[in-house]
Amino acid sequence: MSDENTQVSADATASGPSRRTIGRVVSNKMNQTVTVSVERLVKHPVYGKYIRRSKKLLAHDADNACKEGDIVSIAECRPISKRKSWRVVEVVESAQSATD
């Protein structure tokens, strides 16, 4: 047996690949932490209309690179603090500044 068949990618863990989602940065006032609002559509059980639901998640931003309004991709990781168990993978779309 060779060792090259047993290598695991950086995103995969022993339990499988990590969960990823995309959201908008709503706050970056903390050091190395951003608040990301993730929206999803849910169908109303009786009326059938789609309702927008959102959840705020704290994500680890090691470089302090994210600004408010950025669209970011986040992945689930080990708990870093009491409420922070997500990390910023990449900035998908940068926010346009008000002066431009």
Side-chain angles (χ1 to χ4, degrees), residues 8-9 14-15 22 27 30 32 42 50 57-59 83 90-91:
V8 179
S9 69
S15 61
I22 293 178
S27 173
M30 298 166 276
Q32 294 187 343
V42 179
Y50 284 95
L57 301 170
L58 295 183
R83 292 185 53 211
E90 66 174 328
V91 177

Side-chain angles (χ1 to χ4, degrees), residues 16-40:
S18 60
R19 230 170 42 161
R20 287 185 174 219
T21 187
I22 293 178
R24 180 179 303 276
V25 176
V26 292
S27 173
N28 65 344
K29 292 179 171 58
M30 298 166 276
N31 186 27
Q32 294 187 343
T33 304
V34 292
T35 305
V36 180
S37 177
V38 177
E39 291 187 343
R40 61 190 175 94

Side-chain angles (χ1 to χ4, degrees), residues 27-35 58-66 80-81 84 86-88:
S27 173
N28 65 344
K29 292 179 171 58
M30 298 166 276
N31 186 27
Q32 294 187 343
T33 304
V34 292
T35 305
L58 295 183
H60 183 68
D61 179 21
D63 304 331
N64 284 326
C66 297
I80 298 170
S81 67
K84 186 165 66 166
W86 293 81
R87 61 183 169 81
V88 175

Side-chain angles (χ1 to χ4, degrees), residues 4 8 11 13 20 25 33 35 46 49 92:
E4 60 192 1
V8 179
D11 291 337
T13 59
R20 287 185 174 219
V25 176
T33 304
T35 305
V46 176
K49 181 179 179 179
V92 177

